[in-house]
Each structure stands twice: as C-alpha cells, then as structure tokens.
Amino acid sequence: MAGAEGFVEADNAEAIITRIEHKSRKIETLLKQYKPVEALKTALEGTYAIIGDERCKSAHWLVVHRAIMAIKDVDGMLSSLDPEYYDILMKGRALMQR
C-alpha cells in the first residue's frame, strides 16, 4: 500500500471523515451478520488515506477498535490475518501511541 504521509488539507480531511463514517456503517452491518474478521479487514482498508490528520486518524482507529472488540478469539484472528492487514494493524497501533 502506498502511504500518503504528510499534511491533509481540511477539505480532503472532511471527505476522508465521510468515507470513514460510511465504512463504520458497513462494519456495523458485518458485525450484525456475525462476520467480525471481515469487519476488521474492512476497517483496515484504506488506512493510507488517513495519515497526517489527527481527526482522521482518531476516527479511523475508533472504527478499527470497534471491529477488534467484536472478535472473541483475538489471538486466533491475529495468527490467521493476512500479512498485509497485520502490518497495517501494527503500524496503526504505533501511530496512535505517538
């Protein structure tokens, strides 16, 4: 995934927030269908677009957190997660700790 690190303009940030809200609704639907791993993968998609704006980062990782909290076997999920998604999850965790 190509990262777009750096400054995110306010107009672009609003568009990203709108996409995150849409993604959140999709994740809630997946969780209601008892598909928490699919919900997590959906939450992690497009992560590159949020780097640089704190509002976007926070909104995005709240969505990711919601998906993770629905998974009962987190260790099993982490061991079976595709390397791409695992990498995104670990990089996001590091970003949020800054």
Side-chain angles (χ1 to χ4, degrees):
M1 294 184 116
E5 295 195 39
F7 181 74
V8 176
E9 293 182 26
D11 290 342
N12 194 26
E14 293 305 319
I16 293 169
I17 294 289
T18 300
R19 285 196 303 265
I20 292 169
E21 290 169 351
H22 176 72
K23 184 187 292 193
S24 179
R25 289 189 294 275
K26 184 175 180 180
I27 289 165
E28 288 302 320
T29 299
L30 289 168
L31 292 175
K32 287 177 184 175
Q33 296 171 351
Y34 302 102
K35 298 178 180 179
V37 175
E38 288 181 43
L40 179 60
K41 288 179 179 180
T42 299
L44 293 172
E45 291 171 355
T47 302
Y48 63 89
I50 59 139
I51 297 173
D53 183 273
E54 289 303 316
R55 294 177 308 143
C56 294
K57 271 197 266 189
S58 294
H60 184 267
W61 290 106
L62 285 172
V63 171
V64 172
H65 181 262
R66 171 68 180 105
I68 289 173
M69 295 307 294
I71 297 172
K72 297 194 184 324
D73 180 14
V74 175
D75 290 335
M77 178 274 305
L78 289 174
S79 66
S80 67
L81 201 59
D82 294 337
E84 173 189 7
Y85 292 109
Y86 185 82
D87 187 49
I88 293 168
L89 190 57
M90 294 302 110
K91 285 180 181 175
R93 182 177 173 268
L95 285 172
M96 290 307 292
Q97 292 179 342
R98 290 185 187 173

